[in-house]
Structure formats: structure tokens, C-alpha cells
Amino acid sequence: MNPHVRIIALSNVFTRSMHFVKKGDVEEGHCHSYDHATLVSIGAVLYEVLDGPCGNTVFSKTVHAPNLVYVDKDKYHRITALEDDTV
């Protein structure tokens, strides 16, 4: 299942909050045209860099809260909750 997503805007800065209700919930592989950081504020995730839309993992790491993950632009990535109620 996908996480519950909430978009918050302050002036022209947008923040996207994702609540992974259950362990195993996945934000499917996707990429962006800009670098960004993902904050794991509660719980833990498996962060994976993929070789493209087909989804083969080329790099992965486990990230426990509180911690940041730096995501390079134009890199497909996937985030999987490792604990219930991960944010």
C-alpha cells in the first residue's frame, strides 16, 4: 500500500509529508528533476536507488529516525517502511 500523503505549502516552498501506516508500505520507484532531502522523523525505512523504472536495486540503505536521506536528481528511488507508523 502507498503511504498517506499530505502537501503543505508556505509561501513558495512545498513540503510533502508521507505517513506509512504499516510496515512494508511503499512509495514506488520514481525520480525528480531536482535534488532533495527526505526526513525520516519517526520509524525506519529502506531507501533504494534503482537502475530505472524497471526497479532493479543498485544501492540501498536502512535509515532510522531521526535522520535525513539525500536524494540525487534524475535517480529513480523507492522508500519502504520498516516499521508501522513511519513518517
Side-chain angles (χ1 to χ4, degrees):
M1 174 170 273
N2 292 330
H4 296 206
V5 175
R6 187 174 68 159
I7 305 292
I8 303 162
L10 175 62
S11 185
N12 66 342
V13 177
F14 290 82
T15 302
R16 184 173 187 249
S17 175
M18 296 184 292
H19 176 204
F20 297 84
V21 176
K22 294 290 184 188
K23 176 181 178 178
D25 286 353
V26 178
E27 176 68 2
E28 294 297 336
H30 62 284
C31 69
H32 310 280
S33 60
Y34 50 87
D35 297 331
H36 72 282
T38 294
L39 170 65
V40 181
S41 58
I42 300 169
V45 300
L46 174 65
Y47 168 73
E48 298 170 276
V49 176
L50 311 173
D51 63 0
C54 63
N56 295 313
T57 303
V58 295
F59 171 81
S60 68
K61 71 177 177 176
T62 299
V63 181
H64 294 273
N67 213 332
L68 285 169
V69 177
Y70 183 81
V71 181
D72 289 311
K73 69 179 180 177
D74 301 325
K75 297 279 184 174
Y76 280 86
H77 54 285
R78 174 172 50 221
I79 301 171
T80 306
L82 299 177
E83 299 178 10
D84 290 347
D85 288 319
T86 292
V87 178

